[in-house]
Amino acid sequence: MTRRCSWFRVALVAFGVVSCSRSDNASREGAASASASVAPPPPTPSVRSNAPEVEVSHVELLDAYEASAARADERFKGKRVLVRGKVGEVVKEGANTVVTMPKEAKPDAPSVRCSVRESEAAEVAAWKADDSVDVVGKLVKFDKHATLEGCVVNTQVKACRVVAKALGRGTCEQDREELGARLVLGAEQASLVCGSPAGFEAWRAKTASLPAQERAGRMISVDTTSCHLTYEGLTPRLAVEFSSALARVRWENDVPTLAP
C-alpha cells in the first residue's frame, strides 16, 4: 500500500510539472501573440536625405576646375552641390530645361550648366539674365562647363517659406548678394541660410568671436539642419519661435521641407 501511494504521488507530481510547463508555455505564447498583435508596424524607410554636401559660388566652382580639374573632381564630382550665382540664360535642350551661370558676360564663357527637374521648369521660366539664384544638383562632369543634373532651384527661398509657414507669418525674398534669403516680418527682417554642413561650420566659426550676449540676441542655429538665422533685435519669444521653426526644416530629396 505504501509503495502504491508513493507511485501515485510521483505520477501526480509528474503530471503537475507537465501541466505547469504546458501552462507556462501557453501563457508565454499567448503573451507573445498579444504583444505581436499590438506591436507597431516596422518603420518605413526614410526618404529624407542630408543637406547638400558642399556649397560654392559658380565662379569659385569654375575657378577650382580651371586651377586643377583633378583636385576639383575630388572635391565636387558625384556630390550634391549647392551653387549660388547669376543667371546667364534659360534654354531648352530637347526635353530638358537648362539654366546657365556663366563666369563672364561674353560668348562661350565657361559656365555652370544645370539641368533642372521637370517639377522646377515652370519656376525657372520667368528668370531673367543676372537674376540671383541658387541650385542644388549632382555634379556629373566638367568639360569647360560644369554640368549638374537633377537640380532643385531657389532652395533658400524654399527654406525660408518653410520657416514662414511654421511661424504662421512672414514673406521671403532672395538675397541678391549672399547665399540665403530674407525673411520679412513687417518692419523686421531676418537673414536665413540653409546650406552644407561645412558652410554651417564656417558661419559658426565666424560668429564665435562675437560676445555671447550678442550671439544670443541676434543669431540662431540648428546643427541637424545646417541652417542658421541672423536677426536684428530678437526678443525671447521670437527666439523660441524661430528655434522651433528651424528645428522642423528638413532636406528631403534636395528640397527644404517642413517636418511634422
Side-chain angles (χ1 to χ4, degrees):
M1 182 70 178
T2 303
R3 182 174 298 176
R4 287 179 184 174
C5 289
S6 299
W7 280 109
F8 183 69
R9 288 194 192 97
V10 170
L12 283 176
V13 170
F15 178 77
V17 170
V18 171
S19 297
C20 290
S21 176
R22 286 179 178 172
S23 176
D24 289 345
N25 288 340
S27 297
R28 284 194 294 269
E29 289 171 3
S33 177
S35 176
S37 66
V38 299
T44 55
S46 174
V47 297
R48 289 200 175 101
S49 59
N50 295 325
E53 296 166 86
V54 62
E55 64 190 58
V56 67
S57 76
H58 76 294
V59 173
E60 291 168 341
L61 177 60
L62 295 168
D63 282 347
Y65 268 101
E66 290 175 359
S68 172
R71 284 199 297 270
D73 269 349
E74 290 179 2
R75 183 180 175 191
F76 301 112
K77 190 173 181 181
K79 296 181 179 179
R80 294 162 38 254
V81 183
L82 169 55
V83 183
R84 64 187 186 278
K86 301 284 187 179
V87 174
E89 59 181 347
V90 179
V91 298
K92 291 290 289 185
E93 294 185 354
N96 298 324
T97 300
V98 177
V99 176
T100 69
M101 287 180 271
K103 184 177 178 181
E104 302 170 276
K106 63 181 184 182
D108 204 31
S111 67
V112 174
R113 297 173 55 82
C114 190
S115 178
V116 304
R117 298 179 186 179
E118 186 176 349
S119 59
E120 306 285 291
E123 188 168 349
V124 305
W127 286 2
K128 301 178 181 64
D130 210 39
D131 279 351
S132 296
V133 298
D134 68 85
V135 300
V136 174
K138 181 179 180 180
L139 198 147
V140 293
K141 66 177 180 178
F142 176 81
D143 53 1
K144 184 177 181 179
H145 305 288
T147 301
L148 284 79
E149 292 182 347
C151 290
V152 175
V153 304
N154 283 342
T155 63
Q156 302 304 293
V157 170
K158 286 180 171 67
C160 180
R161 289 172 182 159
V162 162
V163 172
K165 181 179 179 180
L167 290 171
R169 62 190 186 279
T171 58
C172 297
E173 303 171 355
Q174 181 81 42
D175 192 321
R176 293 190 57 82
E177 303 302 326
E178 302 288 341
L179 177 68
R182 302 291 296 176
L183 176 59
V184 181
L185 301 167
E188 300 170 305
Q189 295 188 15
S191 177
L192 172 71
V193 178
C194 288
S196 69
F200 177 83
E201 289 300 330
W203 172 82
R204 186 156 58 180
K206 181 179 178 180
T207 59
S209 60
L210 295 174
Q213 186 173 0
E214 186 174 349
R215 291 200 307 272
R218 296 180 59 239
M219 299 171 181
I220 296 175
S221 63
V222 182
D223 294 12
T224 57
T225 63
S226 297
C227 295
H228 65 264
L229 183 143
T230 304
Y231 191 89
E232 298 296 336
L234 195 65
T235 64
R237 180 177 177 179
L238 273 176
V240 172
E241 290 182 356
F242 274 133
S243 296
S244 298
L246 284 179
R248 294 176 62 191
V249 177
R250 298 289 186 272
W251 286 93
E252 184 174 326
N253 298 325
D254 295 336
V255 181
T257 59
L258 192 62

